[in-house]
Amino acid sequence: MPLPLATATTGSATVGTSQDGSVPRHVAIIMDGNGRWAASRGLPRVAGHRAGAEAVTRCLKAARAQGLEYLTLYAFSSENWRRGPDEVADLKGLLRFYLRHKVAELHGQQVRILFVGEVHRFGPDLCDELARAERLTAHNTGMTLLLALSYGGRSEIVQAAKALARAAQRGEIDPDSIDEDVVSQHLLTAGIPDPDVIVRTSGEHRLSNFLLWQSAYAELVFLDQLWPDFNETSFMQILEIYARRDRRFGARPA
Ligand code: FPP
């Protein structure tokens, strides 16, 4: 059941309500800039990722306070495996730490946690912890948090195409019946509404293989702020920018 959405106000601007459609149901974020944040302070990259994990907590708090239904965070891309072994180990360690210390709290807040991506690549131990977190929170009725881990949009579409081709080969599906809904149902995000807005921090203007199918009609918001600096005000800024956008889904202006 959708949560009641708060009317958000920052400064003099009013963000809106769920009734007038000016508040997004689903915000997806490309958390970028941890490395630059650390470098600008003369710190190792891992310090940027640690600060980034703290920003995740602030973002979750703001999203829940605003009654957001779905929050997706791009925590590890399929391309991130190309980083040095030390950095990959640091990111895996942070993820494990986060799961151990935050899942119980999120469960207490009725947050449902889901993971999308090739999570088996993290190895059986971490995979088990991810599965435990999903099972524990499966019936929660508050916000849904999707963590994209070892996620790549193109490979997600490829696996959906393969699954559909196999089903057609077995005679379980008529190729002519494959439409956009059928493809959506074969993606890792099946059952989750497409994001209304996709945000990228750090001043970069790219999707970087994030939710390529699901982003078809998403509003794109680019913030100059580095991810570790993200806070409640940043979240409110996203809602304000979104509220000012005129979403037409290809239709003519009214
Ligand atoms: C991009 O910054 C960020 C990542 C590759 C990882 C995101 C990870 C976190 C926010 C912390 C851990 C998350 C959880 C959920 C525990 P970058 O390293 O590419 O930054 P740069 O472009 O400035 O180098």
Side-chain angles (χ1 to χ4, degrees):
M1 191 176 73
L3 291 170
L5 288 162
T7 298
T9 309
T10 53
S12 58
T14 298
V15 168
T17 66
S18 58
Q19 281 76 33
D20 64 17
S22 61
V23 175
R25 290 180 76 193
H26 184 176
V27 174
I29 306 183
I30 302 170
M31 308 181 289
D32 195 13
N34 295 351
R36 278 163 281 170
W37 183 93
S40 69
R41 286 163 176 75
L43 297 170
R45 292 181 64 81
V46 66
H49 294 316
R50 279 196 205 111
E54 287 167 24
V56 167
T57 301
R58 290 193 294 275
C59 178
L60 273 165
K61 191 170 169 217
R64 285 185 52 250
Q66 291 307 316
L68 194 79
E69 286 181 67
Y70 299 90
L71 176 69
T72 299
L73 300 177
Y74 204 5
F76 196 99
S77 72
S78 40
E79 289 75 26
N80 284 156
W81 291 109
R82 294 190 203 130
R83 297 199 172 190
D86 288 353
E87 187 170 352
V88 169
D90 286 340
L91 281 165
K92 281 168 78 173
L94 251 177
L95 181 63
R96 185 174 284 114
F97 181 88
Y98 202 86
L99 289 170
R100 291 194 180 150
H101 290 83
K102 293 283 175 192
V103 167
E105 186 184 326
L106 292 171
H107 180 46
Q109 295 163 343
Q110 282 293 304
V111 175
R112 177 171 67 134
I113 306 173
L114 295 171
F115 301 98
V116 287
E118 296 177 329
V119 290
H120 63 272
R121 294 185 69 181
F122 287 103
D125 290 355
L126 194 45
C127 243
D128 283 352
E129 292 197 40
L130 300 178
R132 263 202 300 278
E134 280 193 340
R135 273 197 308 273
L136 176 72
T137 63
H139 302 292
N140 287 347
T141 53
M143 188 175 80
T144 296
L145 169 66
L146 271 98
L147 279 185
L149 291 173
S150 191
Y151 173 87
R154 285 188 171 185
S155 100
E156 178 187 36
I157 294 169
V158 168
Q159 71 81 29
K162 280 185 184 163
L164 286 165
R166 286 196 196 101
Q169 206 171 34
R170 289 192 300 262
E172 292 165 8
I173 192 166
D174 173 1
D176 288 329
S177 72
I178 298 173
D179 59 13
E180 293 183 10
D181 284 342
V182 172
V183 174
S184 291
Q185 285 155 21
H186 285 77
L187 297 176
L188 299 169
T189 53
I192 305 289
D194 288 345
D196 300 296
V197 51
I198 295 186
V199 181
R200 185 175 189 143
T201 58
S202 90
E204 306 287 349
H205 296 187
R206 284 188 300 282
L207 282 181
S208 297
N209 209 9
F210 186 46
L211 301 178
L212 294 183
W213 174 277
Q214 300 87 336
S215 61
Y217 288 102
E219 292 297 325
L220 304 180
V221 172
F222 300 105
L223 301 178
D224 286 336
Q225 193 173 39
L226 302 175
W227 177 252
D229 293 323
F230 192 95
N231 58 23
E232 193 194 351
T233 309
S234 328
F235 193 85
M236 297 305 290
Q237 197 187 346
I238 294 165
L239 297 191
E240 282 176 14
I241 293 170
Y242 178 82
R244 287 199 297 268
R245 297 273 173 94
D246 180 17
R247 295 187 89 195
R248 292 201 293 268
F249 300 96
R252 276 201 210 146

